[in-house]
Amino acid sequence: KCLQRADTTSTISCVLSSEKNLSCWMVSSLLSDEKNGQKSLHTLQVERQEQAERSVLISCQSSTNEKKFLKYLSKHGEISKYFFYESYGVYAVVEFAKQESVSSLLEGAAIPGGSHESAVPFKSRLLSLRNFSPVDSQNQPSGLQCQPQTTIPISELIKRLSREKSIDKQITSLAEAYQLTEENSRLRFLVCSLLKDIAAAYFPECTIKPFGSSVNGFGKLGCDLDMFLDVDSISGRNVKLSGLSLEYQMKRANSERAVTQSILSVIGECVDQFGPGCVGVQKILNARCPLVRFAHQPSGFQCDLTANNRVAMKSTELLYLYGGLDPRVRNLVFTVRCWARAHGVTSSIPGAWITNFSLTVMVLFFLQKRSPPIIPTLDHLRDLAGPADKSVIEGNDCTFVSNFNKIRLESNTETLEKLLSEFFEFYATFPFSRMSINIRKGKEQNKPEVAPLHIQNPFETSLNVSKNVNASQLDRFVSLCQESSWLLQQSETGTPRGGGGDGGPTPWGLATLLLPSQVAGIKSRKKRRREPASERIKGLLESLKNKNQLKKS
Ligand code: GTP
Ligand code: MG
């Protein structure tokens, strides 16, 4: 289970405590990763999990003296990485070079007492710094530098984008501002690792892995943390019995789903009763995919814990692969997701809206439809798969290549500006009423069922990932695509405008498209037809300047 990379370029020493836990293909994918620097998701997960297990999360005061703090912790061993951040107080993530440093640190930690409340004596790697005199020297600055864990507000983003000189630059700048940072990614893995310690009380061999946008390359700072409790990796499942042998006696349930529900119910209860920092625990066990939802206060993450959700893990791997093939994929997905959120096409509340996942698949499909295609079809990725990539989950073929080196891309050199504009054009005119979006084939297919929006689930091909979307939400999406496509074609929108005085630079290009009220004024299309274009643009730009109309996404 323990895998160590001796250095970043060559030697890999790998200790397998159980051959099931780390299959040989992971080692071979590690080796192949060394060639082009593009890590497979498995490699990334293994590295990050291992870092997380050597890490602790400590609540401190903002006046904590950094040097003194580090000196104190270093007594337990070398610190390989640390950072501070704010979330209902200041916290430090401290990663030690060796696991034993964490044990040593925990040995010396005390159980809180002395207050009128009683503590559940559940020990974890979430700690608080006590009796730490803040500043011991006048020369020491007391303020800690905190790493941001949330995105800038959309009004700020619009200003930032308006200062850029091209739409291409605006798009890359948006992705840079929104993407998860190195620190945020580490924190996500650390929260999974802390949760794993709770689940391990019942299932010592289990793992908890992040999936979805926390790891697929399309995550925005502040996105939820989707976690997958993996009990399939518990050893003994594929042991072939022969001759005199033993097997475990185990409680049985009627179905896999019932097993998942009972595991999540117990772990959810445990998280609720004993989990330090876990609040607002809800067990949503009757959903299609049963889950436990809660807020992890020290990190500020909204968490969804699922189990037996291996297809979602495969979708995550697929999105990660597509996102790593060409930088335009991630840039465009970030931009479209941000645009959709700004206009209420997507929402943090579940409902009849298009989800970020569906939207991402729509971007992928559009990129497959370019001429020449920017990314290959899923069928092509399946054809490139080697024997080690084979994966069948509950009868669904989830096989596709995981080695980036095996994928040859066509030479499409379209700019981001062109692609964004064509994306809106593409979906403004897509025959949604008849056709289904299908990234497996890279071609629209006849709709197999009546639903306003049909996007074939890439792995469970009889399912529609956008089944929840109603006709009016789809209409809104199409109208917004029409309006955004039209706006991008106007020279007034496409030219940097500068100026702006106190209110900052005047929005232009992508910044214009993120302003909610104006772009959404599609109802006035008829009115627009009556006015000359220059008048419409003038009116539009006037209203764009009104800062009060900037809404937070
Ligand atoms: P955020 O909105 O940033 O959280 O994006 P996300 O990609 O994490 O989406 P979400 O949290 O809703 O779902 C987590 C993961 O579950 C996705 O990345 C997919 O892998 C998977 N998933 C979500 N919705 C569907 C769906 O309708 N069908 C399938 N097959 N998988 C889904
Ligand atoms: Mg998510």
Side-chain angles (χ1 to χ4, degrees), residues 211-214 223-226 304:
F211 70 100
S213 59
S214 295
C223 68
D224 67 355
L225 173 57
D226 302 295
D304 278 351

Side-chain angles (χ1 to χ4, degrees), residues 211-213 216 223-224 226 312 315-316 337 356-357 457 460 465:
F211 70 100
S213 59
N216 66 15
C223 68
D224 67 355
D226 302 295
S315 316
T316 303
R337 279 188 176 207
N356 270 334
F357 180 65
N457 184 322
E460 294 162 290
V465 301

Side-chain angles (χ1 to χ4, degrees), residues 464-535:
N464 172 13
V465 301
S466 53
K467 199 174 155 195
N468 62 312
V469 177
N470 66 20
S472 75
Q473 286 304 320
L474 178 65
D475 284 351
R476 252 177 62 70
F477 171 75
V478 172
S479 306
L480 283 161
C481 284
Q482 287 168 353
E483 190 75 3
S484 299
S485 160
W486 177 83
L487 268 172
L488 276 180
Q489 285 162 26
Q490 311 308 307
S491 56
E492 285 91 340
T493 318
T495 320
R497 306 194 68 77
D502 287 350
T506 311
W508 75 278
L510 175 57
T512 313
L513 297 193
L514 298 180
L515 289 161
S517 48
Q518 286 72 24
V519 183
I522 312 133
K523 286 162 231 132
S524 59
R525 283 189 92 76
K526 283 184 201 133
K527 185 175 149 225
R528 186 194 308 141
R529 273 188 219 117
R530 278 184 255 121
E531 287 173 11
S534 57
E535 281 305 305

Side-chain angles (χ1 to χ4, degrees), residues 3 12 14 17 20 48 72 74 98 101 125 145 174 191 200 208 249 255-256 265 287 298 318 440 463 522:
L3 188 147
I12 294 166
C14 149
S17 65
K20 265 211 86 238
R48 287 267 190 247
Y72 172 74
S74 302
K98 294 201 178 106
S101 305
R125 283 175 287 140
Q145 216 199 340
L174 183 149
V191 172
I208 293 193
Q249 277 199 25
S255 62
E256 277 298 315
S265 172
L318 181 67
R440 194 160 263 291
L463 302 179
I522 312 133

